[in-house]
Amino acid sequence: MIDFTNAIEEFNNYKGSEKKKTLRYHDKKYLVKFPDPVREKNKNISYINNAFSEYIGSNIFKIVGFKVQNTILGKYEYKEKEKIVCACEDFTDNENILYEFENLTLSTNPDKKIETEISDIMEVIEESKMIHTEETKQKFWDMFVIDSLIGNTDRHNGNWGFLLNKNTGKVEFSPIYDCGSALNPMIEDEEMERINETELKNLAINCYSCLKENGKKINYMTYIKQRKNEECNKAIKRLFLRINREEINNFIDNVEGMSITRKDFYKKMIEKRYEILKEIYESIR
């Protein structure tokens, strides 16, 4: 596991809620995310496991075939305590800048505040003259399907977007980034050991996106099971056969610094959701 303790630190200019540093390692710039202290009451866990979530979630996207921000699981010593961190390589440079979707929402429909309502997001995509509408819709729903597999609860308008080349004006869907809220980072190992099969299934199924329909957060599996969104159905058709569970399980098994309990929990959660996606795929293909 890479030790980032002595990497060169730069001023941090990244947004987001996690504790983070901007470090330069081997001439590359990284946003290094630290485990956040838990702010919720009645939680025995001291820190959330967002570093593992970020690393594994990002790499599951990569296994399926997405362009993804490069992530490295590492360690960092702070006040004589070693912390597991996830270093996220900056994919922007002097020519290519990240244009987050929330910035795009500000330039459309001055009469409406755009948040995470699905219909509003689709409206922004259709109205914008700066992006390719159909391609963006496909990429969005592809991302939605894999977010449902990893249980990402925080794919809001500020953590997906577009890469803009300042020289050519070319705009493309950005690499996937910010998966730190996937895979139940708030559950500690001891709690995972106590979860029975029924509770595990309920956790897998009752996972909510921060995207909304009619003002209510979308339950991923319920939404997919309804088969009412043809764009979502098409995304399942495109992606399902690319979800290689054996490769995903092998990747999880080889993650350093993570307990067997957590590895088994992640694999079982993904399996439960995979089986639902399989059922839907077989009914609509």
Side-chain angles (χ1 to χ4, degrees):
M1 189 177 287
I2 293 174
D3 188 348
F4 289 96
T5 307
N6 296 316
I8 299 170
E9 184 169 359
E10 299 181 351
F11 282 108
N12 179 64
N13 60 354
Y14 297 107
K15 298 184 291 183
S17 60
E18 301 104 334
K19 297 290 183 180
K20 57 179 67 69
K21 286 180 179 289
T22 299
L23 302 178
R24 190 163 290 277
Y25 179 79
H26 286 182
D27 293 324
K28 292 183 179 180
K29 185 178 178 182
Y30 291 90
L31 160 62
V32 178
K33 296 185 177 182
F34 284 72
D36 264 2
V38 173
R39 303 181 185 89
E40 293 186 8
K41 294 181 180 179
N42 304 319
K43 279 284 183 182
N44 294 323
I45 187 171
S46 300
Y47 289 88
I48 66 175
N49 295 279
N50 52 307
F52 291 129
S53 296
E54 186 77 57
Y55 180 64
I56 297 172
S58 295
N59 278 281
I60 288 175
F61 267 103
K62 184 181 291 185
I63 288 168
V64 178
F66 284 73
K67 288 184 178 179
V68 181
Q69 180 180 47
N70 183 40
T71 55
I72 303 172
L73 200 63
K75 57 186 179 181
Y76 191 99
E77 188 173 316
Y78 179 74
K79 292 186 177 179
E80 299 183 349
K81 291 183 180 180
E82 188 176 277
K83 299 181 183 297
I84 301 294
V85 298
C86 185
C88 306
E89 185 178 337
D90 193 332
F91 52 78
T92 64
D93 52 36
N94 291 333
E95 290 184 10
N96 297 285
I97 61 173
L98 176 63
Y99 192 70
E100 293 176 338
F101 185 75
E102 66 181 0
N103 292 331
L104 191 62
T105 68
L106 298 174
S107 62
T108 60
N109 199 336
D111 298 322
K112 181 191 290 187
K113 183 178 180 180
I114 306 297
E115 295 182 343
T116 58
E117 186 76 24
I118 283 286
S119 58
D120 289 344
I121 290 173
M122 292 300 107
E123 182 180 302
V124 170
I125 293 173
E126 289 168 1
E127 284 189 6
S128 177
K129 298 177 181 178
M130 295 177 287
I131 59 176
H132 189 284
T133 299
E134 292 308 313
E135 180 182 339
T136 301
K137 282 185 179 180
Q138 284 190 14
K139 297 284 189 182
F140 175 86
W141 287 110
D142 287 353
M143 180 173 66
F144 178 90
V145 169
I146 303 306
D147 273 337
S148 78
L149 180 69
I150 64 176
N152 187 356
T153 60
D154 198 34
R155 184 70 68 192
H156 56 73
N157 295 339
N159 59 23
W160 67 279
F162 309 89
L163 270 184
L164 169 65
N165 186 297
K166 294 186 291 186
N167 294 333
T168 66
K170 181 182 178 181
V171 178
E172 60 182 348
F173 205 87
S174 78
I176 299 294
Y177 62 97
D178 207 337
C179 298
S181 294
L183 297 166
N184 303 90
M186 291 292 290
I187 301 180
E188 61 184 341
D189 288 8
E190 290 77 7
E191 185 178 350
M192 288 177 177
E193 291 176 345
R194 297 192 296 268
I195 293 173
N196 61 39
E197 188 67 21
T198 301
E199 291 168 334
L200 185 79
K201 183 177 180 180
N202 287 336
L203 273 174
I205 293 173
N206 295 316
C207 179
Y208 289 80
S209 169
C210 69
L211 300 172
K212 296 178 180 180
E213 185 177 51
N214 300 321
K216 295 181 179 180
K217 285 187 176 182
I218 290 173
N219 178 307
Y220 279 119
M221 294 300 130
T222 299
Y223 188 87
I224 287 171
K225 280 183 173 182
Q226 289 171 342
R227 304 170 175 82
K228 63 182 180 180
N229 187 314
E230 191 55 34
E231 295 292 338
C232 185
N233 293 342
K234 289 177 181 177
I236 294 172
K237 289 180 184 179
R238 282 192 297 271
L239 293 176
F240 180 75
L241 295 180
R242 289 159 48 186
I243 301 172
N244 187 326
R245 273 194 50 235
E246 182 178 356
E247 188 174 353
I248 290 171
N249 287 345
N250 287 339
F251 179 84
I252 292 173
D253 283 335
N254 287 297
V255 173
E256 290 186 77
M258 192 166 68
S259 69
I260 293 175
T261 296
R262 185 165 294 275
K263 291 176 181 180
D264 288 344
F265 176 81
Y266 286 166
K267 289 187 292 185
K268 288 177 182 177
M269 290 288 281
I270 290 168
E271 179 185 9
K272 298 291 184 188
R273 294 173 181 142
Y274 174 87
E275 289 302 322
I276 294 173
L277 292 175
K278 181 180 179 181
E279 173 191 333
I280 303 307
Y281 172 75
E282 290 178 345
S283 71
I284 62 178
R285 62 177 175 173

